[in-house]
Amino acid sequence: MNQFIPRGTSKISARGLNVHYGDKQALHDIDLDIPAGEVTALIGPSGCGKSTFLRCINRMNDMVDGAKVTGSLTLDGSDVYDRQLDVVQLRARVGMVFQKPNPFPKSIYDNVAYGPRIHGLARDQAELDEIVMNSLEKAGLLAEVESRLSESGTSLSGGQQQRLCIARAIAVAPEVILMDEPCSALDPIATAKVEELIDELRDNYTIVIVTHSMQQAARVSQRTAFFHLGKLIEVGGTEEIFTNPREPLTQGYITGRFG
Amino acid sequence: MQTVTLAALLLLLSSLAFQMGRKRAFAVASGHPGTLHSLPGYYGWWVALWCGLPAFAILAVWLMFEPSLIRALVIADLPEAMRQLPAERIDVIINEVRNAAQGHATANPDFAAAAEHYNRLQQTGFAAAVAVTVTLALAGATFAYRRVHAELRARPRVERIINVFLVASSTVAIFTTVGIVLSLLFEAMRFFHMVDFVDFLFGLSWSPQMSTRSDQVGSTGAFGMVPLLTGTMLISAISMVVALPLGLFSAIYMSEYAQPRIRAIAKPALEILAGIPTVVFGFFAVVTVAPVIRSIGGAFGLNVAAESALAAGFVMGITLIPLISSLSDDVITAVPQSLREGAFGLGATRSETIVQVVLPAALPGIVGGVLLAVSRAIGETMIVVMAAGLSAKLTANPLEAVTTVTVQIVTLLVGDTEFDSPKTLAAFALGLMLFAITLGLNVIALHIVQKYREKYD
């Protein structure tokens, strides 16, 4: 799975993206490029639209009643909201890790094997075993669970559950991994492990992470986008955003004046 | 009527006591309610309870013992000849006296005199009750009123009384259950003195008709419950074959696919089904379903009985749809949305998500609901009485008439019954068995549901 990712080319790009939930407009005219092979952090106060933007990329917003998306959002140059596009295939290319660890009430093995099974990625049991082991290894969980793969995924600790969910997402061999505040339910040690993992994963995947923690954004991301009230205020290199922001709003948020 | 008036009077006194207690609390606090231990209302409640509780307790005791007391006094006053009569005759006389006391004419002057005595006693008794309870109410209120002061811990006291009241209420329900079980148990034990327990449990023949007199020619009766049990199982199984898929599929549709607008209409519509009395379903089974099954069976050259297990089971299954669907709907809706998102996020389709993630997660709850439905099916009476028939046949053919445990209980107890023949007592033994089976199922169901609940909290 060591696909070569040319750095700097844009994997996902949004142009004039608007999202409405019923009468309420959640995103206003977003223009944002997300480069391949990097970690892009989306930051901003609650309700600023960063999660909404994230959920546009794999069309999770489709399931929200009254959600309407206009403008263009492309993945490798092809429109994500094209009517011809199969959402199932899109989500196989764009994996997602959620705020709260949500392992299925199945065995650890079956949790990871779930995606490969529904997409028919393995020709036989041996190949499936290999995918599962590989994914657990990449998620840094293999050593901890190798001896108890048949135990329920819900029996793991919170941090282990979240890494299991990352393994589950990796198993489908996605190109992009979306993370919606993946550490907000974890303790500092588990958070550190997940952050370390994110750093390792960026060689092979394009990662977009929504986070409330500015330290986390600074630690794991190369690029940062700051959202406020449904608008994209500023985007740039993480170091630049945190040391020398152009916009006063960004300055105010990262120095903790509001948020 | 008089008693109701008295109770209303006591309630009125109590509410006055509440007002006075509250005012007293304000007065004691001299304008600073903050210095009181409890809120002023609690002092009101405290005085009101002191006023009402003892009085109502005495009233309840009085109501319990009044009839037997008056009866004893009236009997004591009857002419000597009447008093020597056997107990049953005295009962008849007392009834006659009561009728006379209510103004019905009587020919016997002794009865007229006794009736007058009866009325007098009742009036005196009531007057005494009024005097005692009202005095007690006033005394209680005065006692409590005098003791209202700032340090009085009124709230804990009132709450303790409320606590006792709540405990008493739940005890009543528990003791009722215990009482029912014990009465079943004792009557069933009498039955098992006459009929062997093993024969009853494993006997293959059921015909409870017995000769009532020793010189009559007739059967000695056979009490083997196996045919009844198989009939019950057969009908329950048929009903579950109908109810389980229909209920579960409608629950899946309601919880996963239906638009909110459709759900808002369809769900109550489905629940109307649960509100139809089972007796109505019973004649629906007899008048509509059974003839239809009969004619369809006839078209295929099958011989279908007029009362068939299939008709009863089918209609019973329909009555169980709302139960299964609403319980399943609840547990399916309770599966966290995050699990669905997790599956969707991996590229699962809606049906894959439901079959592979949502239903397995909801399965323990669904199993619990189904077991509850099975125990309802086993205990269901009205539909099977009307549609299943009475012949205790040992058969697995759904087109034949079978009978169930509940139907037999009804037939054994309807009409003239004598409580010392095994025929009647068999009903209690059957009831006990039925209770044991449904209790077992309910315990298992509750256990499974509970285990499931612990998982997501």
Side-chain angles (χ1 to χ4, degrees):
Chain A
M1 242 183 287
N2 273 320
Q3 71 248 53
F4 170 71
I5 297 175
R7 295 260 153 101
T9 55
S10 126
K11 183 80 182 167
I12 300 158
S13 51
R15 290 290 174 270
L17 189 73
N18 287 289
V19 176
H20 295 259
Y21 293 128
D23 300 334
K24 200 175 151 269
Q25 186 162 8
L27 284 181
H28 299 262
D29 271 329
I30 305 295
D31 293 332
L32 180 60
D33 288 313
I34 290 169
E38 284 188 2
V39 178
T40 303
L42 310 181
I43 62 168
S46 296
C48 68
K50 54 191 191 304
S51 280
T52 299
F53 180 79
L54 193 76
R55 284 163 170 262
C56 281
I57 301 173
N58 66 346
R59 289 183 57 174
M60 286 299 268
N61 283 332
D62 288 12
M63 261 162 304
V64 180
D65 283 326
K68 201 181 87 192
V69 180
T70 57
S72 107
L73 185 70
T74 58
L75 175 67
D76 284 339
S78 56
D79 188 3
V80 167
Y81 282 86
D82 188 347
R83 279 179 190 281
Q84 300 296 313
L85 178 129
D86 185 357
V87 171
V88 168
Q89 278 165 6
L90 172 72
R91 290 182 189 151
R93 292 174 66 194
V94 183
M96 187 160 195
V97 177
F98 296 84
Q99 185 168 5
K100 230 181 104 201
N102 56 351
F104 303 133
K106 299 172 185 285
S107 72
I108 293 171
Y109 183 95
D110 287 337
N111 261 285
V112 183
Y114 185 77
R117 277 188 180 136
I118 60 173
H119 293 295
L121 298 183
R123 266 166 305 180
D124 52 28
Q125 187 60 39
E127 210 172 338
L128 187 61
D129 287 349
E130 200 191 317
I131 295 178
V132 171
M133 293 303 170
N134 250 322
S135 310
L136 285 171
E137 170 81 59
K138 278 194 190 161
L141 194 62
L142 189 60
E144 288 159 70
V145 300
E146 201 164 14
S147 59
R148 46 180 181 142
L149 288 176
S150 57
E151 276 177 40
S152 171
T154 50
S155 67
L156 297 173
S157 74
Q160 288 174 325
Q161 286 188 14
Q162 193 61 300
R163 280 180 286 147
L164 179 64
C165 291
I166 294 175
R168 189 173 71 183
I170 292 172
V172 189
E175 300 154 32
V176 179
I177 300 177
L178 309 176
M179 299 187 171
D180 192 356
E181 297 180 42
C183 301
S184 64
L186 305 184
D187 66 55
I189 294 170
T191 300
K193 279 195 178 161
V194 171
E195 285 180 2
E196 211 175 293
L197 175 61
I198 293 170
D199 205 45
E200 287 164 18
L201 291 175
R202 88 183 145 99
D203 291 336
N204 298 314
Y205 308 92
T206 303
I207 295 173
V208 187
I209 178 171
V210 164
T211 176
H212 263 129
S213 151
M214 274 165 293
Q215 290 91 329
Q216 183 170 63
R219 283 193 299 261
V220 301
S221 72
Q222 285 74 53
R223 279 171 69 79
T224 297
F226 172 62
F227 284 73
H228 183 61
L229 296 176
K231 297 197 174 80
L232 176 65
I233 304 299
E234 185 172 355
V235 60
T238 298
E239 224 181 285
E240 196 189 318
I241 293 273
F242 280 98
T243 54
N244 189 18
R246 293 187 304 270
E247 300 290 330
L249 260 177
T250 318
Q251 169 87 31
Y253 183 69
I254 61 172
T255 53
R257 262 204 313 233
F258 72 95
Chain B
M1 192 59 224
Q2 284 176 320
T3 323
V4 175
T5 320
L6 177 56
L9 177 68
L10 289 179
L11 273 181
L12 186 73
L13 282 177
S14 300
S15 68
L16 283 178
F18 173 81
Q19 295 298 341
M20 290 184 47
R22 211 167 146 262
K23 279 212 186 95
R24 174 76 179 163
F26 276 117
V28 164
S30 52
H32 300 286
T35 58
L36 292 171
H37 171 271
S38 312
L39 289 173
Y42 283 106
Y43 293 90
W45 276 112
W46 190 65
V47 177
L49 285 170
W50 262 105
C51 171
L53 271 188
F56 271 109
I58 290 294
L59 183 62
V61 171
W62 165 251
L63 286 176
M64 247 188 283
F65 291 106
E66 184 214 18
S68 47
L69 189 67
I70 290 187
R71 187 191 142 101
L73 288 173
V74 169
I75 291 174
D77 208 40
L78 284 175
E80 181 66 27
M82 282 188 186
R83 266 188 292 157
Q84 300 307 322
L85 290 168
E88 298 100 54
R89 291 294 311 279
I90 291 190
D91 281 344
V92 174
I93 292 171
I94 291 291
N95 267 333
E96 191 81 358
V97 170
R98 279 213 192 107
N99 281 338
Q102 277 159 18
H104 297 284
T106 177
N108 192 330
D110 283 343
F111 286 176
E116 201 181 310
H117 185 209
Y118 183 91
N119 275 336
R120 228 175 23 246
L121 278 174
Q122 238 183 2
Q123 277 160 18
T124 325
F126 182 70
V130 171
V132 170
T133 52
V134 170
T135 314
L136 211 56
L138 292 177
T142 318
F143 171 74
Y145 183 82
R146 288 238 178 100
R147 291 192 45 188
V148 170
H149 57 88
E151 282 86 49
L152 178 75
R153 304 165 67 81
R155 178 175 44 78
R157 284 169 197 227
V158 170
E159 278 171 353
R160 203 175 318 139
I161 292 171
I162 290 173
N163 196 6
V164 168
F165 194 71
L166 296 180
V167 169
S169 303
S170 48
T171 324
V172 168
I174 293 169
F175 274 106
T176 314
T177 315
V178 172
I180 289 173
V181 173
L182 285 183
S183 77
L184 266 181
L185 205 60
F186 282 120
E187 299 296 335
M189 290 222 309
R190 281 177 63 196
F191 172 76
F192 289 126
H193 281 305
M194 296 180 232
V195 175
D196 188 47
F197 182 65
V198 176
D199 285 349
F200 173 73
L201 219 51
F202 300 109
L204 298 182
S205 152
W206 177 267
S207 74
Q209 306 315 323
M210 292 182 87
S211 45
T212 43
R213 293 196 312 273
S214 49
D215 56 328
Q216 253 178 342
V217 184
S219 62
T220 50
F223 296 95
M225 70 176 293
V226 171
L228 309 186
L229 219 49
T230 55
T232 305
M233 299 287 177
L234 180 62
I235 290 183
S236 304
I238 294 170
S239 72
M240 291 319 291
V241 166
V242 174
L244 185 58
L246 290 180
L248 191 56
F249 292 160
S250 67
I252 291 173
Y253 172 71
M254 294 290 178
S255 56
E256 298 289 328
Y257 287 99
Q259 301 288 319
R261 248 184 313 144
I262 295 173
R263 185 184 155 93
I265 298 167
K267 210 169 144 60
L270 196 72
E271 270 152 18
I272 289 176
L273 205 56
I276 298 174
T278 50
V279 66
V280 176
F281 276 111
F283 58 71
F284 173 63
V286 174
V287 176
T288 314
V289 178
V292 168
I293 291 177
R294 202 170 148 78
S295 62
I296 293 176
F300 287 98
L302 292 168
N303 187 19
V304 183
E307 294 172 317
S308 64
L310 188 58
F314 177 78
V315 173
M316 197 198 285
I318 290 177
T319 64
L320 294 176
I321 290 174
L323 179 69
I324 293 193
S325 100
S326 78
L327 284 176
S328 308
D329 190 8
D330 286 349
V331 292
I332 290 175
T333 316
V335 171
Q337 189 61 26
S338 67
L339 281 186
R340 292 188 187 84
E341 290 196 331
F344 288 139
L346 287 170
T349 63
R350 197 174 273 272
S351 60
E352 282 168 344
T353 305
I354 291 166
V355 174
Q356 295 160 357
V357 176
V358 177
L359 286 185
L363 194 64
I366 293 173
V367 171
V370 169
L371 286 179
L372 284 181
V374 171
S375 73
R376 273 272 289 275
I378 290 173
E380 167 58 46
T381 310
M382 209 60 227
I383 296 170
V384 281
V385 165
M386 295 174 81
L390 290 173
S391 55
K393 250 179 279 176
L394 190 57
T395 175
N397 181 357
L399 302 178
E400 278 187 65
V402 297
T403 191
T404 69
V405 177
T406 49
V407 171
Q408 286 307 313
I409 294 177
V410 170
T411 46
L412 290 174
L413 290 181
V414 165
D416 290 337
T417 51
E418 32 183 344
F419 275 78
D420 50 359
S421 95
K423 178 179 179 256
T424 314
L425 292 174
F428 291 96
L430 287 178
L432 189 66
M433 292 302 143
L434 202 61
F435 173 75
I437 294 170
T438 49
L439 180 72
L441 279 174
N442 282 355
V443 167
I444 296 171
L446 285 178
H447 181 73
I448 292 175
V449 171
Q450 215 153 33
K451 215 170 147 191
Y452 161 78
R453 255 194 214 135
E454 287 161 4
K455 224 158 151 189
Y456 290 115
D457 281 352

